[in-house]
Amino acid sequence: VSATGGVTPYSWSIVSGSLPTGLSLNSSTGTISGTPRKTGAYNFTIRVTDSDSPADTDDQALSITVNN
C-alpha cells in the first residue's frame, strides 16, 4: 500500500480485521508480503500515520481474496 502527502516517514498498522494467515504488513514500508495459507476473503482496515507533530492519520478499508 502507499500514501502521499504529510511528513515522511510513515508508519503502517492494521486497526481492524486481519490479513490472511501467512501474510504480514511491514510497519515501515506498508508492504504486504508472504504466502497465504488458507483460501477465503479477508477484510481489514489499514492505518497510515505520518511523522508530523501532531501526527496525521488516514484509514482505508481493504480486502484480499485468496483462491487455490
Side-chain angles (χ1 to χ4, degrees):
V1 291
S2 65
T4 59
V7 177
T8 58
Y10 304 121
S11 62
W12 303 86
S13 59
I14 295 179
V15 294
S16 69
S18 62
L19 292 172
T21 301
L23 295 185
S24 62
L25 171 68
N26 181 307
S27 63
S28 298
T29 65
T31 300
I32 296 172
S33 62
T35 303
R37 296 187 209 142
K38 286 182 83 175
T39 61
Y42 298 84
N43 300 305
F44 55 97
T45 299
I46 259 185
R47 174 173 290 162
V48 61
T49 304
D50 77 356
S51 295
D52 204 358
S53 183
D56 290 321
T57 63
D58 189 43
D59 294 352
Q60 182 66 50
L62 300 170
S63 65
I64 292 177
T65 301
V66 179
N67 299 313
N68 280 354

